[in-house]
Amino acid sequence: MNSLTAQQVKLGFIGLGNMGSRIAQRLLDHGYKLTVFNRDRTKAKALVSKGAVLVNDVVELARSADVILSCLSNDGAVQSIYAGPEGVLAGARPGTVVLEMSTVSPDTSRELCKQAAGVGVDVMDVAISGSTPAAEQGTLTLLAGGNEELFHAAQPIFDAIARQYFHLGPSGAGTTMKLVVNTLLGVGMQAIAEAVVLGESAGLHRKLLLEVLSKTAVVAPAHAGKLARVDNNDYSPQFPLSLMNKDFKLILKTAARENVPMPATEAAFRVNADELAEGKEQDFSAVLRRMEEVAGVVVTHSSR
C-alpha cells in the first residue's frame, strides 16, 4: 500500500467538534487537501477560510476522498454516518481508506470494519488519547486497530496530528485500548478528588495541596494539568464530563461482557452522574468540586 502523503491523497473529514476541528486544522497545516462535513455548518467556517471545502452530505464527501477520517460523539453517530443509502459507505469507492477516530464500543468498530469490507473499503479504528490542547499542538497519542499495512501507510497522516501512535492488533483493538486508558483517566480523577478533599478537610491549604500533588510521581501528567485549573476553579470543558461518563458506560458494558468486576469504575460513574445532574457542561475534573460539596468543604471564589 502506498504511503498516504499530502501529495498522494485527498482527505475527507467528518465531525468538527472540539477534537475534530483541531485535528482537521493540523491536516490542513500539513498540506493535505481537505473536504469537510459537519451537521452544524457554522463549525466549518474557520476551516473553509483556511482552504477546506465544505460539502452538503457525507455521500458527496465519500465520492471525492481517498481517505476519510471521522471524529464523532458516540456509537449511534458513527452508525448513522456510515450506514444506509445516505451514509459514507454508499458513496465510497472501492480502495477508499477510513480512519475512524471516535471513542466507541469495540463491537461498533468491528461491525463497521466488516460492513466496509463488503464494499471494498478498509477501515481502521484509530482512537485518540489526549486533550484539546494536545490536538491543537499535534501531540496526541493514537491507538489503532486493523490492517497493519494500512497502519504503516497512514503514518504521514498520524505524524501531522500525533506525537506517538501504536498498532494494537485487529479491528476493535484500538477502541479497546482507549477504554483501558480512559478507565485510568476517569477513576484517577475521582481518586484525586477524594484525596484532595481529605487533605482540605484535615486542614491543609488548598492551593499548596494542589501544587504539591501536581509535582508528585503518583499524579499522571493528564491529571497534573487539571490541578492547575482546579486551583483557579476553572472547570470549563476540555474533556467534557458528559463524554467521560459516556466512556464509563462503554467500559462497564465491555467489562460485563468479559465478566470483569470494576467496582471503582462503577463508583466513579455514579459520582459523574450526580455532577451531570446539575445540568451544566463542564470538564470531567468537576468531580473534585462535587466531592468538596458532598464533604461540606467551602471553596472561596468558586465558579459555581
Side-chain angles (χ1 to χ4, degrees), residues 47-143:
L47 293 169
V48 170
S49 70
K50 298 291 181 64
V53 176
L54 177 63
V55 294
N56 294 317
D57 58 69
V58 295
V59 173
E60 182 183 355
L61 180 145
R63 286 172 178 158
S64 66
D66 303 304
V67 180
I68 299 166
L69 300 93
S70 55
C71 190
L72 303 166
S73 57
N74 53 45
D75 293 63
V78 170
Q79 290 159 357
S80 67
I81 283 291
Y82 281 93
E86 298 180 354
V88 167
L89 297 183
R93 294 168 282 119
T96 299
V97 165
V98 170
L99 305 177
E100 212 303 292
M101 310 184 84
S102 313
T103 300
V104 294
S105 164
D107 287 340
T108 295
S109 297
R110 287 187 282 264
E111 180 60 27
L112 175 59
C113 184
K114 180 181 176 181
Q115 291 174 358
V119 293
V121 173
D122 199 348
V123 174
M124 173 167 281
D125 46 291
V126 186
I128 305 163
S129 180
S131 61
T132 49
E136 207 161 274
Q137 297 157 15
T139 58
L140 295 169
T141 295
L142 303 179
L143 311 167

Coordinates of all heavy atoms in Angstrom, one line a residue, residues 47-143:
L47 N -12.3 26.5 9.1 CA -11.5 25.6 8.2 C -11.7 26.0 6.7 O -10.7 25.9 6.0 CB -12.0 24.1 8.4 CG -11.6 23.5 9.8 CD1 -12.4 22.2 10.0 CD2 -10.1 23.4 10.0
V48 N -12.9 26.4 6.3 CA -13.1 26.8 5.0 C -12.2 28.0 4.7 O -11.7 28.2 3.6 CB -14.6 27.1 4.7 CG1 -14.8 27.8 3.4 CG2 -15.4 25.8 4.8
S49 N -12.1 28.9 5.6 CA -11.3 30.1 5.4 C -9.8 29.8 5.2 O -9.0 30.5 4.7 CB -11.4 31.1 6.6 OG -10.8 30.6 7.8
K50 N -9.4 28.5 5.7 CA -8.0 28.1 5.6 C -7.8 27.1 4.4 O -6.8 26.6 4.2 CB -7.6 27.4 6.8 CG -7.6 28.3 8.1 CD -6.5 29.3 8.0 CE -6.5 30.2 9.3 NZ -6.2 29.4 10.5
G51 N -8.9 26.9 3.6 CA -8.8 26.1 2.4 C -9.5 24.9 2.3 O -9.5 24.2 1.2
A52 N -10.2 24.5 3.3 CA -11.1 23.3 3.3 C -12.3 23.5 2.4 O -12.8 24.7 2.3 CB -11.5 22.9 4.7
V53 N -12.8 22.5 1.8 CA -14.0 22.5 1.0 C -15.2 21.9 1.8 O -15.1 20.7 2.3 CB -13.8 21.8 -0.3 CG1 -15.1 21.8 -1.1 CG2 -12.7 22.4 -1.1
L54 N -16.2 22.7 2.0 CA -17.4 22.2 2.8 C -18.4 21.6 1.8 O -18.8 22.2 0.8 CB -18.0 23.3 3.5 CG -19.3 23.1 4.3 CD1 -19.0 22.1 5.5 CD2 -19.9 24.3 4.9
V55 N -18.9 20.3 2.1 CA -19.9 19.7 1.3 C -21.2 19.5 2.1 O -21.2 19.6 3.3 CB -19.4 18.3 0.8 CG1 -18.2 18.5 -0.1 CG2 -19.0 17.4 2.0
N56 N -22.3 19.2 1.4 CA -23.6 19.2 2.0 C -24.0 17.9 2.6 O -24.8 17.8 3.4 CB -24.6 19.5 0.9 CG -24.5 21.0 0.4 OD1 -24.3 21.9 1.2 ND2 -24.6 21.1 -0.9
D57 N -23.3 16.8 2.2 CA -23.6 15.5 2.8 C -22.4 14.5 2.7 O -21.4 14.8 1.9 CB -24.8 14.8 2.1 CG -24.6 14.7 0.6 OD1 -23.8 13.8 0.2 OD2 -25.3 15.4 -0.2
V58 N -22.5 13.5 3.4 CA -21.3 12.6 3.5 C -21.1 11.7 2.3 O -20.0 11.3 2.0 CB -21.4 11.7 4.8 CG1 -21.3 12.5 6.0 CG2 -22.6 10.8 4.8
V59 N -22.2 11.5 1.5 CA -22.0 10.7 0.3 C -21.2 11.5 -0.7 O -20.3 11.0 -1.3 CB -23.4 10.4 -0.3 CG1 -23.2 9.8 -1.7 CG2 -24.2 9.5 0.6
E60 N -21.4 12.8 -0.8 CA -20.6 13.7 -1.6 C -19.2 13.7 -1.2 O -18.2 13.6 -2.0 CB -21.2 15.1 -1.6 CG -20.4 16.1 -2.5 CD -21.0 17.5 -2.4 OE1 -22.0 17.7 -1.7 OE2 -20.4 18.4 -3.0
L61 N -19.0 13.8 0.1 CA -17.6 13.7 0.7 C -16.9 12.4 0.3 O -15.8 12.4 -0.1 CB -17.7 13.9 2.2 CG -16.3 13.9 3.0 CD1 -16.4 14.9 4.1 CD2 -16.0 12.5 3.5
A62 N -17.6 11.3 0.5 CA -17.0 10.0 0.3 C -16.6 9.8 -1.2 O -15.6 9.1 -1.5 CB -18.0 8.9 0.7
R63 N -17.4 10.3 -2.1 CA -17.1 10.2 -3.5 C -15.8 10.8 -3.9 O -15.2 10.4 -4.9 CB -18.3 10.7 -4.4 CG -19.5 9.8 -4.3 CD -20.7 10.5 -5.0 NE -21.9 9.6 -5.1 CZ -23.1 10.0 -5.2 NH1 -23.4 11.3 -5.3 NH2 -24.1 9.1 -5.2
S64 N -15.4 11.9 -3.2 CA -14.3 12.7 -3.6 C -13.0 12.3 -2.8 O -11.9 12.8 -3.2 CB -14.6 14.2 -3.5 OG -14.8 14.5 -2.1
A65 N -13.1 11.6 -1.7 CA -12.0 11.4 -0.8 C -11.3 10.0 -1.0 O -12.0 9.0 -1.3 CB -12.4 11.5 0.6
D66 N -10.0 10.1 -0.9 CA -9.2 8.8 -0.9 C -9.2 8.2 0.5 O -9.1 7.0 0.7 CB -7.8 9.0 -1.4 CG -7.8 9.6 -2.8 OD1 -8.4 9.0 -3.7 OD2 -7.2 10.7 -3.0
V67 N -9.1 9.1 1.5 CA -9.0 8.8 2.9 C -10.1 9.6 3.6 O -10.1 10.8 3.5 CB -7.6 9.0 3.5 CG1 -7.6 8.6 5.0 CG2 -6.5 8.3 2.7
I68 N -10.9 8.9 4.4 CA -11.9 9.5 5.2 C -11.6 9.4 6.7 O -11.3 8.3 7.2 CB -13.3 8.9 4.9 CG1 -13.7 9.1 3.4 CG2 -14.4 9.6 5.8 CD1 -14.8 8.3 3.0
L69 N -11.6 10.5 7.4 CA -11.4 10.5 8.9 C -12.7 10.9 9.5 O -13.4 11.8 9.0 CB -10.3 11.4 9.3 CG -8.9 11.1 8.7 CD1 -8.6 11.9 7.5 CD2 -7.8 11.4 9.8
S70 N -13.1 10.3 10.6 CA -14.3 10.8 11.4 C -14.0 10.8 12.8 O -13.3 10.0 13.4 CB -15.5 9.9 11.1 OG -15.2 8.6 11.3
C71 N -14.5 11.9 13.5 CA -14.4 12.1 14.9 C -15.7 12.4 15.5 O -16.1 13.6 15.5 CB -13.3 13.1 15.2 SG -12.8 13.3 16.9
L72 N -16.5 11.4 15.9 CA -17.9 11.6 16.3 C -18.2 11.3 17.7 O -17.3 10.8 18.5 CB -18.7 10.7 15.4 CG -18.5 10.9 13.9 CD1 -19.1 9.8 13.0 CD2 -19.1 12.3 13.4
S73 N -19.4 11.7 18.2 CA -19.6 11.7 19.6 C -19.9 10.4 20.3 O -19.6 10.2 21.4 CB -20.8 12.7 19.9 OG -21.9 12.3 19.2
N74 N -20.5 9.4 19.5 CA -20.9 8.2 20.1 C -21.2 7.1 19.1 O -21.1 7.4 17.9 CB -22.1 8.4 21.0 CG -23.3 9.0 20.3 OD1 -23.6 8.7 19.2 ND2 -23.9 10.0 20.9
D75 N -21.5 5.9 19.5 CA -21.8 4.8 18.6 C -22.9 5.1 17.6 O -22.8 4.8 16.5 CB -22.1 3.5 19.4 CG -20.9 3.0 20.3 OD1 -20.5 3.8 21.2 OD2 -20.5 1.9 20.0
G76 N -24.0 5.7 18.1 CA -25.1 6.0 17.3 C -24.7 6.9 16.1 O -25.1 6.7 15.0
A77 N -23.9 7.9 16.4 CA -23.5 8.8 15.4 C -22.6 8.1 14.4 O -22.8 8.4 13.1 CB -22.7 10.0 16.1
V78 N -21.7 7.3 14.8 CA -20.9 6.5 13.8 C -21.7 5.7 12.9 O -21.6 5.6 11.7 CB -19.8 5.7 14.6 CG1 -19.1 4.7 13.6 CG2 -18.8 6.6 15.3
Q79 N -22.7 4.9 13.5 CA -23.5 4.1 12.7 C -24.4 4.8 11.7 O -24.5 4.4 10.5 CB -24.4 3.3 13.7 CG -23.7 2.2 14.5 CD -24.4 1.8 15.8 OE1 -25.5 2.3 16.1 NE2 -23.8 0.9 16.5
S80 N -24.9 6.0 12.1 CA -25.8 6.8 11.2 C -25.0 7.4 10.1 O -25.5 7.6 9.0 CB -26.5 7.8 12.0 OG -25.7 8.8 12.5
I81 N -23.7 7.8 10.4 CA -22.9 8.5 9.4 C -22.4 7.5 8.3 O -22.3 7.8 7.1 CB -21.7 9.1 10.0 CG1 -22.1 10.5 10.7 CG2 -20.6 9.4 9.0 CD1 -22.5 11.6 9.7
Y82 N -22.2 6.2 8.7 CA -21.6 5.3 7.7 C -22.6 4.4 7.0 O -22.4 4.0 5.9 CB -20.5 4.4 8.5 CG -19.2 5.2 8.6 CD1 -18.9 5.9 9.8 CD2 -18.3 5.2 7.6 CE1 -17.8 6.6 9.9 CE2 -17.1 5.9 7.7 CZ -16.8 6.6 8.9 OH -15.7 7.3 9.0
A83 N -23.7 4.0 7.7 CA -24.6 3.0 7.2 C -25.7 3.7 6.3 O -26.0 4.9 6.4 CB -25.2 2.2 8.3
G84 N -26.4 2.8 5.6 CA -27.6 3.2 4.8 C -27.3 3.9 3.5 O -26.2 4.2 3.2
P85 N -28.4 4.2 2.8 CA -28.2 4.8 1.4 C -27.7 6.2 1.4 O -27.2 6.7 0.4 CB -29.7 4.8 0.9 CG -30.5 4.7 2.1 CD -29.8 4.0 3.1
E86 N -27.7 6.9 2.6 CA -27.2 8.3 2.7 C -25.9 8.3 3.5 O -25.5 9.4 4.0 CB -28.2 9.2 3.2 CG -29.5 9.3 2.4 CD -30.5 10.3 3.0 OE1 -30.3 10.7 4.1 OE2 -31.5 10.5 2.3
G87 N -25.3 7.1 3.7 CA -24.1 7.1 4.5 C -22.8 7.0 3.7 O -22.8 6.9 2.5
V88 N -21.7 7.1 4.4 CA -20.4 7.1 3.8 C -20.2 5.9 2.9 O -19.7 6.0 1.8 CB -19.3 7.2 4.9 CG1 -17.9 6.9 4.2 CG2 -19.3 8.6 5.5
L89 N -20.6 4.7 3.3 CA -20.3 3.5 2.6 C -21.1 3.5 1.3 O -20.7 2.7 0.4 CB -20.5 2.3 3.4 CG -19.7 2.1 4.7 CD1 -20.0 0.8 5.4 CD2 -18.2 2.2 4.3
A90 N -22.1 4.2 1.2 CA -22.9 4.3 0.0 C -22.2 5.1 -1.1 O -22.4 4.9 -2.3 CB -24.3 4.9 0.2
G91 N -21.3 6.0 -0.7 CA -20.6 6.8 -1.7 C -19.2 6.5 -1.9 O -18.6 6.9 -2.9
A92 N -18.6 5.7 -0.9 CA -17.1 5.5 -1.0 C -16.8 4.5 -2.2 O -17.5 3.5 -2.4 CB -16.7 4.9 0.3
R93 N -15.7 4.8 -2.8 CA -15.2 4.0 -3.9 C -14.4 2.8 -3.4 O -13.8 3.0 -2.3 CB -14.3 4.8 -4.8 CG -15.0 5.9 -5.6 CD -14.0 6.9 -6.3 NE -13.4 7.8 -5.3 CZ -12.2 7.9 -5.0 NH1 -11.3 7.1 -5.6 NH2 -11.7 8.8 -4.1
P94 N -14.4 1.7 -4.0 CA -13.5 0.6 -3.6 C -12.1 1.1 -3.5 O -11.6 1.8 -4.4 CB -13.7 -0.5 -4.7 CG -15.0 -0.2 -5.2 CD -15.2 1.3 -5.2
G95 N -11.4 0.7 -2.5 CA -10.0 1.1 -2.3 C -9.9 2.3 -1.3 O -8.8 2.7 -0.9
T96 N -11.0 2.9 -1.0 CA -11.0 4.1 0.0 C -10.6 3.6 1.3 O -10.9 2.4 1.7 CB -12.5 4.7 0.0 OG1 -12.8 5.2 -1.2 CG2 -12.5 5.8 1.1
V97 N -9.9 4.4 2.1 CA -9.5 4.1 3.4 C -10.3 5.0 4.4 O -10.5 6.1 4.2 CB -8.0 4.4 3.6 CG1 -7.6 4.5 5.0 CG2 -7.2 3.4 2.8
V98 N -10.7 4.4 5.5 CA -11.4 5.1 6.6 C -10.6 5.0 7.9 O -10.2 3.8 8.3 CB -12.8 4.5 6.8 CG1 -13.4 5.1 8.1 CG2 -13.7 4.8 5.7
L99 N -10.2 6.1 8.5 CA -9.6 6.1 9.8 C -10.7 6.7 10.8 O -10.9 7.9 10.8 CB -8.4 7.0 9.8 CG -7.3 6.7 8.7 CD1 -6.2 7.7 8.7 CD2 -6.8 5.3 8.9
E100 N -11.3 5.8 11.5 CA -12.4 6.2 12.4 C -11.9 6.4 13.8 O -11.4 5.5 14.5 CB -13.4 5.0 12.4 CG -14.9 5.5 12.5 CD -15.1 6.3 13.8 OE1 -15.0 5.7 14.9 OE2 -15.4 7.5 13.7
M101 N -12.0 7.7 14.2 CA -11.3 8.1 15.4 C -12.2 8.3 16.7 O -11.7 8.8 17.7 CB -10.6 9.4 15.1 CG -9.7 9.4 13.9 SD -8.8 10.9 13.5 CE -7.3 10.6 14.5
S102 N -13.4 8.0 16.6 CA -14.4 8.2 17.7 C -14.1 7.1 18.8 O -13.6 6.0 18.5 CB -15.8 8.0 17.2 OG -16.0 8.7 16.0
T103 N -14.5 7.5 20.0 CA -14.4 6.6 21.1 C -15.8 5.9 21.2 O -16.8 6.4 21.6 CB -14.2 7.3 22.5 OG1 -12.9 8.0 22.4 CG2 -14.1 6.3 23.6
V104 N -15.8 4.6 20.7 CA -17.0 3.8 20.6 C -16.7 2.4 21.1 O -15.6 2.1 21.5 CB -17.5 3.8 19.2 CG1 -17.9 5.2 18.7 CG2 -16.4 3.2 18.2
S105 N -17.8 1.6 21.2 CA -17.6 0.2 21.6 C -16.7 -0.5 20.6 O -16.9 -0.3 19.4 CB -19.0 -0.4 21.6 OG -18.9 -1.8 21.7
P106 N -15.9 -1.4 21.1 CA -15.1 -2.2 20.1 C -16.0 -3.0 19.2 O -15.6 -3.2 18.0 CB -14.3 -3.1 21.1 CG -14.1 -2.3 22.3 CD -15.4 -1.6 22.4
D107 N -17.2 -3.4 19.6 CA -18.1 -4.1 18.7 C -18.5 -3.2 17.6 O -18.7 -3.7 16.4 CB -19.3 -4.5 19.5 CG -19.1 -5.7 20.5 OD1 -18.1 -6.4 20.3 OD2 -19.9 -5.9 21.4
T108 N -18.7 -1.9 17.8 CA -19.1 -1.0 16.8 C -17.9 -0.9 15.8 O -18.2 -0.8 14.6 CB -19.4 0.4 17.3 OG1 -20.6 0.3 18.2 CG2 -19.7 1.4 16.3
S109 N -16.7 -0.8 16.3 CA -15.5 -0.7 15.4 C -15.5 -2.0 14.5 O -15.2 -1.9 13.3 CB -14.3 -0.6 16.2 OG -14.2 0.6 16.9
R110 N -15.7 -3.1 15.1 CA -15.6 -4.4 14.3 C -16.7 -4.5 13.3 O -16.5 -4.9 12.2 CB -15.6 -5.6 15.3 CG -14.3 -5.7 16.0 CD -14.2 -7.0 16.8 NE -15.0 -6.9 18.1 CZ -14.4 -6.6 19.3 NH1 -13.2 -6.4 19.4 NH2 -15.2 -6.6 20.3
E111 N -17.9 -4.1 13.7 CA -19.0 -4.2 12.7 C -18.8 -3.2 11.6 O -19.1 -3.6 10.4 CB -20.3 -3.8 13.5 CG -21.6 -3.9 12.6 CD -21.8 -5.2 12.0 OE1 -21.4 -6.3 12.6 OE2 -22.5 -5.3 10.9
L112 N -18.3 -2.0 11.8 CA -18.1 -1.1 10.7 C -17.0 -1.6 9.8 O -17.2 -1.5 8.6 CB -17.6 0.3 11.3 CG -17.2 1.3 10.3 CD1 -18.4 1.7 9.3 CD2 -16.7 2.6 11.0
C113 N -16.0 -2.2 10.3 CA -14.9 -2.8 9.5 C -15.5 -3.9 8.6 O -15.2 -4.0 7.4 CB -13.8 -3.3 10.4 SG -12.4 -4.0 9.5
K114 N -16.4 -4.7 9.2 CA -17.0 -5.8 8.4 C -17.9 -5.3 7.3 O -17.8 -5.7 6.2 CB -17.8 -6.7 9.4 CG -18.5 -7.8 8.7 CD -19.3 -8.6 9.7 CE -20.1 -9.8 9.1 NZ -20.9 -10.5 10.1
Q115 N -18.7 -4.3 7.6 CA -19.6 -3.7 6.6 C -18.8 -3.0 5.5 O -19.1 -3.2 4.3 CB -20.5 -2.6 7.3 CG -21.6 -3.2 8.2 CD -22.3 -2.1 8.9 OE1 -22.1 -0.9 8.8 NE2 -23.3 -2.6 9.8
A116 N -17.8 -2.3 5.9 CA -16.9 -1.6 4.9 C -16.2 -2.6 3.9 O -16.1 -2.3 2.7 CB -16.0 -0.7 5.6
A117 N -15.7 -3.7 4.5 CA -15.0 -4.7 3.7 C -15.9 -5.2 2.6 O -15.4 -5.5 1.5 CB -14.5 -5.8 4.6
G118 N -17.2 -5.2 2.8 CA -18.2 -5.7 1.8 C -18.3 -4.8 0.6 O -18.7 -5.3 -0.5
V119 N -17.8 -3.6 0.7 CA -17.8 -2.7 -0.5 C -16.4 -2.2 -0.8 O -16.2 -1.2 -1.5 CB -18.7 -1.4 -0.2 CG1 -20.2 -1.8 -0.1 CG2 -18.3 -0.6 1.1
G120 N -15.4 -3.0 -0.4 CA -14.0 -2.7 -0.7 C -13.4 -1.6 -0.1 O -12.4 -1.0 -0.6
V121 N -13.9 -1.2 1.1 CA -13.3 -0.1 1.9 C -12.6 -0.7 3.1 O -13.1 -1.6 3.8 CB -14.4 0.9 2.3 CG1 -13.9 1.9 3.3 CG2 -15.1 1.5 1.1
D122 N -11.4 -0.2 3.4 CA -10.6 -0.6 4.5 C -10.7 0.3 5.7 O -10.4 1.5 5.6 CB -9.1 -0.7 4.1 CG -8.3 -1.6 5.0 OD1 -8.8 -2.0 6.1 OD2 -7.1 -2.0 4.6
V123 N -11.2 -0.1 6.8 CA -11.4 0.7 8.0 C -10.5 0.3 9.1 O -10.3 -0.9 9.4 CB -12.9 0.5 8.5 CG1 -13.0 1.3 9.9 CG2 -13.9 1.0 7.5
M124 N -9.9 1.4 9.7 CA -9.0 1.2 10.9 C -9.6 2.0 12.0 O -9.9 3.2 11.8 CB -7.6 1.6 10.6 CG -6.7 1.6 11.8 SD -4.9 1.7 11.4 CE -4.6 0.0 10.9
D125 N -9.8 1.4 13.2 CA -10.2 2.3 14.3 C -8.9 2.9 14.9 O -7.9 2.2 15.2 CB -10.9 1.5 15.4 CG -10.3 0.1 15.8 OD1 -10.4 -0.8 14.9 OD2 -9.8 0.0 16.9
V126 N -8.9 4.2 15.0 CA -7.8 5.0 15.4 C -8.2 5.9 16.6 O -8.5 7.1 16.4 CB -7.1 5.8 14.3 CG1 -5.8 6.5 14.8 CG2 -6.9 5.0 13.1
A127 N -8.3 5.3 17.8 CA -8.8 6.1 18.9 C -7.8 7.1 19.4 O -6.6 6.9 19.2 CB -9.1 5.1 20.0
I128 N -8.3 8.2 19.9 CA -7.5 9.3 20.3 C -7.3 9.4 21.8 O -8.3 9.3 22.5 CB -8.1 10.7 19.8 CG1 -8.4 10.7 18.3 CG2 -7.3 11.9 20.2 CD1 -9.4 11.7 17.9
S129 N -6.1 9.5 22.3 CA -5.9 9.8 23.7 C -5.2 11.2 23.8 O -4.1 11.4 23.2 CB -5.0 8.7 24.3 OG -4.7 9.0 25.7
G130 N -5.8 12.1 24.5 CA -5.2 13.5 24.6 C -6.3 14.5 24.7 O -7.5 14.2 24.3
S131 N -6.0 15.7 25.1 CA -6.9 16.8 25.3 C -7.0 17.7 24.1 O -6.2 17.5 23.1 CB -6.5 17.6 26.5 OG -5.2 18.1 26.3
T132 N -7.9 18.7 24.2 CA -7.9 19.6 23.1 C -6.6 20.4 22.9 O -6.2 20.6 21.7 CB -9.1 20.6 23.2 OG1 -9.1 21.1 24.6 CG2 -10.4 19.9 23.0
P133 N -5.9 20.8 23.9 CA -4.6 21.4 23.7 C -3.6 20.5 23.0 O -2.9 20.9 22.1 CB -4.1 21.8 25.1 CG -5.4 21.9 25.9 CD -6.3 20.9 25.4
A134 N -3.7 19.2 23.3 CA -2.8 18.3 22.6 C -3.2 18.1 21.1 O -2.3 18.0 20.3 CB -2.9 16.9 23.3
A135 N -4.5 18.2 20.8 CA -4.9 18.1 19.4 C -4.4 19.3 18.7 O -4.0 19.2 17.5 CB -6.4 18.0 19.4
E136 N -4.5 20.5 19.3 CA -4.1 21.7 18.7 C -2.6 21.7 18.4 O -2.1 22.2 17.4 CB -4.4 22.9 19.6 CG -4.6 24.2 18.9 CD -5.4 25.2 19.8 OE1 -6.6 25.1 19.8 OE2 -4.7 26.0 20.5
Q137 N -1.8 21.1 19.4 CA -0.3 21.1 19.2 C 0.2 19.9 18.5 O 1.4 19.8 18.2 CB 0.3 21.1 20.7 CG -0.1 22.4 21.5 CD 0.1 22.2 23.0 OE1 0.6 21.2 23.4 NE2 -0.5 23.1 23.7
G138 N -0.7 19.0 18.1 CA -0.2 17.8 17.4 C 0.5 16.8 18.2 O 1.4 16.1 17.7
T139 N 0.1 16.7 19.5 CA 0.8 15.8 20.4 C -0.1 14.7 21.0 O 0.2 14.2 22.1 CB 1.5 16.6 21.6 OG1 0.4 17.4 22.3 CG2 2.5 17.6 21.1
L140 N -1.1 14.4 20.2 CA -2.0 13.3 20.6 C -1.2 11.9 20.6 O -0.2 11.8 20.0 CB -3.2 13.2 19.7 CG -4.1 14.4 19.6 CD1 -5.1 14.3 18.5 CD2 -4.9 14.5 20.9
T141 N -1.9 11.0 21.3 CA -1.5 9.6 21.2 C -2.6 8.9 20.5 O -3.8 9.0 20.8 CB -1.3 8.9 22.6 OG1 -0.1 9.6 23.2 CG2 -1.0 7.4 22.5
L142 N -2.2 8.1 19.5 CA -3.2 7.4 18.6 C -3.1 5.8 18.9 O -2.0 5.3 19.0 CB -3.0 7.6 17.2 CG -3.0 9.1 16.7 CD1 -2.8 9.2 15.2 CD2 -4.4 9.8 17.1
L143 N -4.3 5.2 19.0 CA -4.4 3.8 19.4 C -5.2 3.1 18.3 O -6.4 3.3 18.1 CB -5.1 3.6 20.7 CG -4.6 4.6 21.9 CD1 -5.6 4.6 23.0 CD2 -3.2 4.1 22.3

